[in-house]
Amino acid sequence: MSSNTALNNTANAATHNGTYTMPQIDVLSNITYARSLQAAAVRKGTIFVARAIARGAVWLVQPLLDWQRKNRTYSELMSLDDRMLEDIGLHRTQVRSIAFDSEVEAGIAANTNRSPKAA
C-alpha cells in the first residue's frame, strides 16, 4: 500500500472515531504556485511602470522636437534668397508665421508666383 493511501485510510479512520486530523498539504507546490503568482504580478507592474515612463518621456520630449522642427524650417526658409521664396509663393515677412504658427493653412505656401501686397 502506498504512503498516500495509508494516510487517507488513517485520516478516514480518525474522522470516523470523532477526531479530526490535519490533511496532508503539499507545501512545496503551494510555495511554487505562490511564487509564480508573485512573478506574474511583478511583470504586470513592471510593464505598467515602463509604459507610464514612456508616455511621460513622450510628453516631455515632444515639445522639444516640435520646436526643433519649426526652428529648422525657419532657418532653411530664411537661407533662401528672395527670388527662391517668390518661386514657392512666399515673402520673407511670411517665413516666421509659416515656420512657427501651427494653424497656418497649407494654401498660403501655394506657388502663385505673386508677391504679397502691402497692407
Side-chain angles (χ1 to χ4, degrees):
M1 192 182 318
S2 72
S3 61
N4 284 339
T5 308
L7 285 174
N8 288 338
N9 289 339
T10 305
N12 289 339
T15 304
H16 291 305
N17 293 333
T19 61
Y20 178 76
T21 58
M22 208 57 173
Q24 191 69 14
I25 298 174
D26 186 10
V27 176
L28 184 60
S29 294
N30 287 339
I31 290 173
T32 304
Y33 180 66
R35 286 185 179 161
S36 69
L37 291 177
Q38 182 183 24
V42 168
R43 278 193 303 274
K44 283 183 179 181
T46 304
I47 290 170
F48 175 78
V49 169
R51 287 180 180 164
I53 290 171
R55 283 190 301 268
V58 168
W59 181 76
L60 289 173
V61 172
Q62 192 61 47
L64 178 62
L65 294 175
D66 289 343
W67 174 83
Q68 185 180 28
R69 179 183 49 80
K70 290 175 182 182
N71 197 37
R72 187 175 50 240
T73 301
Y74 176 78
S75 297
E76 289 177 8
L77 287 173
M78 287 302 285
S79 69
L80 300 175
D81 62 3
D82 290 335
R83 182 178 172 148
M84 291 181 84
L85 284 172
E86 187 177 331
D87 284 347
I88 60 174
L90 291 176
H91 190 267
R92 194 160 300 277
T93 58
Q94 294 174 307
V95 171
R96 180 170 294 281
S97 64
I98 293 293
F100 290 106
D101 292 344
S102 60
E103 292 83 25
V104 172
E105 296 178 18
I108 291 179
N111 189 0
T112 60
N113 289 331
R114 288 180 279 161
S115 298
K117 301 196 186 253

